[in-house]
């Protein structure tokens, strides 16, 4: 073996002489000089690790397999990226970094969503991600501190610096007291501590607020689109079956429509017609209605200052009602048939013009309108199964005219509409007209006041006519000569159409469809599905992304600064830790001289695990002056209190 080979073999721990140092694990004894030589060999192995196997010109005669076998026991020091400790820390940093987009995903998915749609609130998921991410960051900071500590040790440092590095790795207190010796260990420890502020920031990023969702929703309706034929009441007819009831007279309600009218006058809620709304919804539904099909206007001059004639005076004295030629305001409703025999409701309103208001002389204007039954669309609101009108039902959008009200001799016989021996006929709109009379029939007259100079006095006023008076105070204080009147048409139509709508609800719920279909126009449906919109305020999650950005910035900066502490981990040549056993072996503690110098803490614990040690007074049998505190064989160490 040449000199070069002999030197390389000596560096690799293989002796060429009979005095080769035996393996300490086997229990063979060696002289102190031999142990020193062995330590020197191991140190050379650490220094020469890269050249031992990477050189292509390994000297001839060197048993590389034998060397590798020796390395297997010594855990040969070599550079590699695959170190468990640093990789765990780096994966922990990666987990913390990935918690940032994960938190963003939770916030983005929850933003604007209903609180009821999440079993667990987003803040719960954010708290879990924050807790796991911050714990992982703390783990990474400790692993990074180990890398820096051992790197300083390998490149040469002082005992004071090693102590400060360890102290700074313990947490924020050690880092803040480092002063001018602050390094990346201190920064990493501070980051791992201060990163906890990301929790409150992320919690503030998600909050709950109320908004109107305007979500489309399917609703089920149960409404008869038309008033069933001959349903609401009776009307007086002659032998030719022509209505003859005087205008304004009430004939009678049908028994079923009477229930509808009573519910209306009592203000009962409209229910059972629309279902499927979980809160408050708006929708457009089809139901029965009355629409104005034509109007005519008449006017005549009138002078309320002129004295009553003898005949008119007698009428007034006898009835306390103004003669017809002294009317100032009137509302009359009655049922009639058109030229085809279709039922119509006549609405007649009359009132004085503006000139009469100031001077009691002017025009009396009469409007006569025909109201035709129809199918119309109503805009409604549904809340807790209760229906209200979203807008006045006076003028719903007409879909089509109802054609189920025609009265002919054939229909009278077919449906047995006429009461035997009486001039009463069952009709579709008779009850509606009668209800209008009950609510609105009015005739207000003006007669000269008996006191000279006073304004005319009104006769037969009612609550309704009082509501229709626009200038009551001015007239009462005799500033104006006569009342000024509002147009009652829209008020009357709103009431009549609410009665029509309530009748649609009542008939759909009280009768089955097989009974109703022959009484309405062909092709109409009683039950239907309509598209509605939910409008009640609901609690939804609201995200403030500024808080998220602040939390993400804190986490990102902390990850970056801790990542720097891992620089050069691949050059450590071994797994490192803060294990006291590992550090004690690195300082060549006498108790661990039987363990190879490059063994990590886990291996030391495994190999020396059964040996009992104790911290206390060690007596070196050289007198009192040689007693010292330290770790030693448990059987030979005295209690520290004896020191």
């Amino acid at each position: 073996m040449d000199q070069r080979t002999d030197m390389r073999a000596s560096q690799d721990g293989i002796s060429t002489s009979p005095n080769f140092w035996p393996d300490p694990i086997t229990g063979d004894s060696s002289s102190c000089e031999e142990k020193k030589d062995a330590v020197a060999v191991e140190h050379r192995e650490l220094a020469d690790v890269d050249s031992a196997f990477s050189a292509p010109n390994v000297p001839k005669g060197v048993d590389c397999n034998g060397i590798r076998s020796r390395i297997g026991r010594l855990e040969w020091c070599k550079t590699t990226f695959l170190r468990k400790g640093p990789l765990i820390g780096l994966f922990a940093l990666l987990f913390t970094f990935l918690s940032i987009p994960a938190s963003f995903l939770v916030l983005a998915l929850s933003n604007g969503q209903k609180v009821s749609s999440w079993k667990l609130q987003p803040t719960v998921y954010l708290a879990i991600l924050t807790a796991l991410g911050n714990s992982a960051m703390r783990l990474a900071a400790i692993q990074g501190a180990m890398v820096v500590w051992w790197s300083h040790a390998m490149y040469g440092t002082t005992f004071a610096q090693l102590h400060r590095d360890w102290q700074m790795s313990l947490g924020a207190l050690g880092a803040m007291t480092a002063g001018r010796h602050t390094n990346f260990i201190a920064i990493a420890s501070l980051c791992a501590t201060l990163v906890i502020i990301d929790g409150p920031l992320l919690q503030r990023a998600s909050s709950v607020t109320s908004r109107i969702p305007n979500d489309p929703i399917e609703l089920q309706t149960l409404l008869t689109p038309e008033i069933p034929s001959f349903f609401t009441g009776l009307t007086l007819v002659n032998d030719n079956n022509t209505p003859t009831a005087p205008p304004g007279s009430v004939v009678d309600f049908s028994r079923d429509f009477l229930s509808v009218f009573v519910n209306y006058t009592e203000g009962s809620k409209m229910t059972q017609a629309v279902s499927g709304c979980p809160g408050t919804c708006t929708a457009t539904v089809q139901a029965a209605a009355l629409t104005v099909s034509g109007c005519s206007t008449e006017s005549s001059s009138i002078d309320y200052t002129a004295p009553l004639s003898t005949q008119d005076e007698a009428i007034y004295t006898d009835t306390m009602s103004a003669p017809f030629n002294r009317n100032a305001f009137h509302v009359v409703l009655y049922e009639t048939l058109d030229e085809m025999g279709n039922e119509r409701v006549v609405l007649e309103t009359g009132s004085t013009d503006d000139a009469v208001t100031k001077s009691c002389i002017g025009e009396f204007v009469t409007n006569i309108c025909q109201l035709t039954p129809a199918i119309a669309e109503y805009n409604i609101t549904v809340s807790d199964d209760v229906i209200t009108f979203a807008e006045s039902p006076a003028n719903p959008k007409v879909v089509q005219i109802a054609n189920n009200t025609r009265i002919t001799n054939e229909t009278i016989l077919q449906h047995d509409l006429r009461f035997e021996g009486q001039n009463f006929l069952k009709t579709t709109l008779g009850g509606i007209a009668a209800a209008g009379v009950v609510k609105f029939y009015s005739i207000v007259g003006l007669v000269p006041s008996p006191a000279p100079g006073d304004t005319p006095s009104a006769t037969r006023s009612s609550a309704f006519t009082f509501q229709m008076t626009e200038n009551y105070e001015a007239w009462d204080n005799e500033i104006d000569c006569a009342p000024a009147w509002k147009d009652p048409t829209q008020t009357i139509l709103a009431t009549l159409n609410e009665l029509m709508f309530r009748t649609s609800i009542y008939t759909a719920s009280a009768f089955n469809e097989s009974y109703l279909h022959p009484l309405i126009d062909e092709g109409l449906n009683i039950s239907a599905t309509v598209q509605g919109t939910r409008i009640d305020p609901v609690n939804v999650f609201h995200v403030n992304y500024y808080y998220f950005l602040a939390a993400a910035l804190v986490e990102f900066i902390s990850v970056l600064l801790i990542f720097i502490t891992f620089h050069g981990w691949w050059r450590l040549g071994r797994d490192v830790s803060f294990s006291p056993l590992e550090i004690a072996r690195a300082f060549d503690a006498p108790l661990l001289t039987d363990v190879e110098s490059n063994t990590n803490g886990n291996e030391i614990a495994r190999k020396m695990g059964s040996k009992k040690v104790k911290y206390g007074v060690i007596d070196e049998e050289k007198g009192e002056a040689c007693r010292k505190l330290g770790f030693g064989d448990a059987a030979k160490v005295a209690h520290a209190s004896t020191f």
Side-chain angles (χ1 to χ4, degrees), residues 503-626:
T503 304
S504 292
I505 295 175
Y506 178 86
T507 53
S509 61
F511 305 101
N512 58 49
E513 295 192 22
S514 60
Y515 171 81
L516 293 173
H517 275 301
L519 302 178
I520 59 177
D521 290 335
E522 187 176 352
L524 298 178
N525 294 318
I526 295 169
S527 58
T529 299
V530 299
Q531 289 296 320
T533 303
R534 187 172 181 183
I535 63 167
D536 57 311
V538 296
N539 289 333
V540 297
F541 295 113
H542 172 71
V543 175
N544 187 328
Y545 287 103
Y546 289 109
Y547 284 109
F548 166 75
L549 289 176
L553 185 62
V554 169
E555 293 182 5
F556 179 77
I557 292 176
S558 298
V559 168
L560 180 63
L561 293 176
I562 292 175
F563 177 75
I564 295 175
T565 63
F566 285 84
H567 178 70
W569 90 83
W570 58 91
R571 291 197 296 265
L572 291 177
R574 49 166 290 185
D575 290 333
V576 295
S577 71
F578 277 153
S579 167
L581 298 181
E582 187 172 334
I583 295 175
R585 183 64 189 91
F587 278 105
D588 201 19
L591 283 175
L592 299 175
T593 54
D594 289 342
V595 179
E596 289 132 342
S597 62
N598 206 31
T599 307
N600 61 40
N602 289 330
E603 283 297 310
I604 295 173
R606 184 179 64 82
K607 294 177 180 179
M608 305 292 291
S610 60
K611 185 173 183 178
K612 292 186 178 182
V613 294
K614 181 179 179 180
Y615 178 78
V617 178
I618 301 174
D619 190 351
E620 295 185 342
E621 300 179 355
K622 296 180 181 180
E624 188 69 22
C626 293

Side-chain angles (χ1 to χ4, degrees), residues 343-366:
E343 294 182 51
R344 301 290 185 260
V345 174
V346 176
L347 170 62
E348 180 180 320
T349 62
S351 61
T352 55
D353 64 4
D354 293 340
V356 173
T357 303
K358 298 301 181 183
S359 64
C360 288
I361 300 173
E363 297 288 324
F364 183 82
V365 181
T366 302

Side-chain angles (χ1 to χ4, degrees), residues 127-409:
I128 293 173
L129 287 171
T130 303
L132 294 177
N134 292 351
S135 297
M137 186 175 293
R138 181 57 187 160
L139 172 62
I142 294 173
Q143 291 292 336
M146 295 177 189
V147 172
V148 174
W149 193 93
W150 283 95
S151 296
H152 285 171
M154 291 183 66
Y155 284 100
T157 185
T158 64
F159 280 99
Q161 186 60 48
L162 289 177
H163 175 72
R164 284 191 293 265
D165 287 348
W166 165 80
Q167 193 173 38
M168 287 184 286
S169 72
L170 296 180
L173 181 60
M176 289 187 294
T177 57
R180 63 187 179 86
H181 300 288
T182 298
N183 59 20
F184 274 107
I185 295 181
I187 295 173
S189 295
L190 284 174
C191 289
T193 302
L194 298 180
V195 76
I196 60 173
I197 66 174
D198 65 348
L201 290 173
L202 286 176
Q203 293 294 309
R204 288 294 302 275
S206 179
S207 59
V208 176
T209 186
S210 293
R211 71 170 176 83
I212 296 178
N214 290 321
D215 293 335
I217 189 171
E218 283 193 351
L219 304 175
Q220 287 69 48
T221 63
L222 191 64
L223 292 162
T224 307
E226 298 174 340
I227 301 295
S229 300
F230 325 119
F231 176 77
T232 66
L234 305 175
T235 192
L236 187 64
V237 295
N238 59 21
D239 291 339
N240 296 324
N241 298 317
T242 301
T244 59
S249 63
V250 178
V251 182
D252 204 355
F253 300 119
S254 69
R255 182 176 60 184
D256 288 313
F257 183 72
L258 179 61
S259 299
V260 175
F261 185 69
V262 170
N263 288 337
Y264 167 77
T265 56
E266 292 179 348
S268 298
K269 296 177 180 179
M270 296 184 288
T271 59
Q272 301 180 349
V274 181
S275 59
C277 177
T280 301
C281 306
T282 59
T284 299
V285 298
Q286 293 185 2
L290 288 174
T291 183
V292 178
S293 57
C295 295
S296 62
T297 302
E298 301 174 357
S299 64
S300 59
S301 300
I302 195 164
D303 181 359
Y304 294 104
T305 63
L308 295 175
S309 65
T310 303
Q311 182 180 0
D312 290 343
E313 184 72 40
I315 294 173
Y316 175 65
T317 303
D318 185 42
T319 63
M320 294 305 295
S321 298
F324 186 74
N325 60 3
R326 294 291 179 129
N327 280 351
F329 178 84
H330 76 250
V331 174
V332 177
L333 292 99
Y334 55 91
E335 184 181 15
T336 188
L337 299 179
D338 65 10
E339 64 277 4
M340 300 296 295
N342 297 308
E343 294 182 51
R344 301 290 185 260
V345 174
V346 176
L347 170 62
E348 180 180 320
T349 62
S351 61
T352 55
D353 64 4
D354 293 340
V356 173
T357 303
K358 298 301 181 183
S359 64
C360 288
I361 300 173
E363 297 288 324
F364 183 82
V365 181
T366 302
N367 292 307
I368 302 173
C369 297
Q370 275 203 353
L371 307 182
T372 301
I375 302 171
E377 292 180 340
Y378 292 89
N379 294 323
I380 63 167
T381 300
V382 183
S383 181
D384 296 329
D385 196 38
V386 176
I387 300 172
T388 55
F389 292 109
E391 57 188 37
S392 172
N395 299 293
K397 181 181 178 181
V398 175
V399 177
Q400 67 183 61
I401 300 299
N403 296 308
N404 66 328
T405 65
R406 182 171 298 179
I407 295 178
T408 63
N409 290 332

